[in-house]
Amino acid sequence: MSDNNWSLQPQDVFKRSPIVPVMVINKIEHAVPLAKALVAGGISVLEVTLRTPCALEAIAKIAKEVPEALIGAGTILNEAQLQQAVAAGSQFIITPGATVDLLKAAKKGNVPLIPGVASISEVMVGMELGYTHFKFFPAEASGGVNALKSFSGPLANIRFCPTGGISPATYKDYLALDNVDCIGGSWIAPSDAVDSEDWARITQLCKDALSGL
Ligand SMILES: O=C(O)C(=O)C[C@H](O)[C@H](O)COP(=O)(O)O
């Protein structure tokens, strides 16, 4: 039994795709073609970072025009942004870190929150509020694969999506860990490919990454 009213559970997000693209959208006209390029490559969980002025509009457009994708918002820092992201149509929310206020606010809502953590203490704060699925951020800078291996001892049953500094050379090492279901990264949708609207390259990057698993 879950202790929330979320329309989707975090495990449904984690299990849907081993790779979660971290998308930075600078031009609204890139939102739908980028989402479609990723879906065409086999990746249908998408995280749009709230780092650009058109991010909320991009989420709304993708939610409407690319229904085969599960669209989430990243870089959520406070409750106001959480509400805005949900109103725009986000189906899940990812944060780089977490405050108790944010963790509590998301528990009262209908959309799952994947809080960011970088330490065992932060996971424990989330666990006290019923959270079991976390983004491990910034993954490489916070100890990477070795840190997650150490987490698995005391934190049995806690699942992670490591993100931050992961590359085509390292993503498989993370996905091989028992406490990792998926990894996040911007390398699968590189900004130069988006800027030049090279959607075929992004689709190919997805296919290559998935076929390597
Ligand atoms: O904006 C956020 O919410 C973040 O937490 C940061 C992103 O997840 C990372 O910047 C992605 O990391 P890279 O794959 O190393 O580019």
Side-chain angles (χ1 to χ4, degrees):
M1 268 293 285
S2 69
D3 62 346
N4 59 58
N5 292 318
W6 290 342
S7 50
L8 186 76
Q9 294 304 317
Q11 58 265 35
D12 301 326
V13 180
F14 272 34
K15 298 279 188 194
R16 178 143 160 183
S17 170
I19 299 170
V20 180
V22 175
M23 300 154 69
V24 180
I25 299 178
N26 288 300
K27 290 188 182 168
I28 190 62
E29 59 268 28
H30 288 165
V32 167
L34 173 56
K36 286 188 171 165
L38 292 160
V39 170
I43 293 185
S44 65
V45 174
L46 313 177
E47 173 189 341
V48 173
T49 58
L50 244 67
R51 290 197 228 164
T52 59
C54 69
L56 287 170
E57 197 186 344
I59 289 168
K61 258 181 117 58
I62 295 168
K64 192 162 166 240
E65 296 180 37
V66 194
E68 58 276 39
L70 192 62
I71 179 74
T75 332
I76 301 295
L77 302 177
N78 53 50
E79 192 178 346
Q81 289 180 339
L82 172 75
Q83 306 304 356
Q84 287 174 339
V86 170
S90 305
Q91 292 163 292
F92 63 94
I93 303 290
I94 303 195
T95 62
T99 65
V100 169
D101 281 353
L102 193 55
L103 293 169
K104 285 186 176 166
K107 272 274 161 178
K108 291 192 201 123
N110 298 315
V111 176
L113 172 70
I114 316 287
V117 292
S119 72
I120 292 198
S121 295
E122 292 165 51
V123 176
M124 287 167 64
V125 171
M127 287 169 74
E128 286 185 358
L129 291 164
Y131 286 82
T132 53
H133 290 64
F134 298 88
K135 167 175 178 167
F136 179 51
F137 179 78
E140 280 287 291
S142 306
V145 166
N146 285 334
L148 284 163
K149 273 189 194 158
S150 303
F151 285 10
S152 69
L155 302 176
N157 304 322
I158 299 298
R159 316 296 305 167
F160 295 97
C161 173
T163 305
I166 299 179
S167 72
T170 57
Y171 75 107
K172 287 186 222 169
D173 298 335
Y174 283 94
L175 287 170
L177 297 172
D178 285 344
N179 53 354
V180 168
D181 292 317
C182 54
I183 60 101
S186 60
W187 51 272
I188 202 93
S191 55
D192 61 323
V194 177
D195 290 344
S196 61
E197 305 185 1
D198 191 350
W199 311 125
R201 182 176 150 213
I202 290 174
T203 298
Q204 194 56 46
L205 280 169
C206 297
K207 287 184 177 166
D208 290 347
L210 292 174
S211 71
L213 294 176

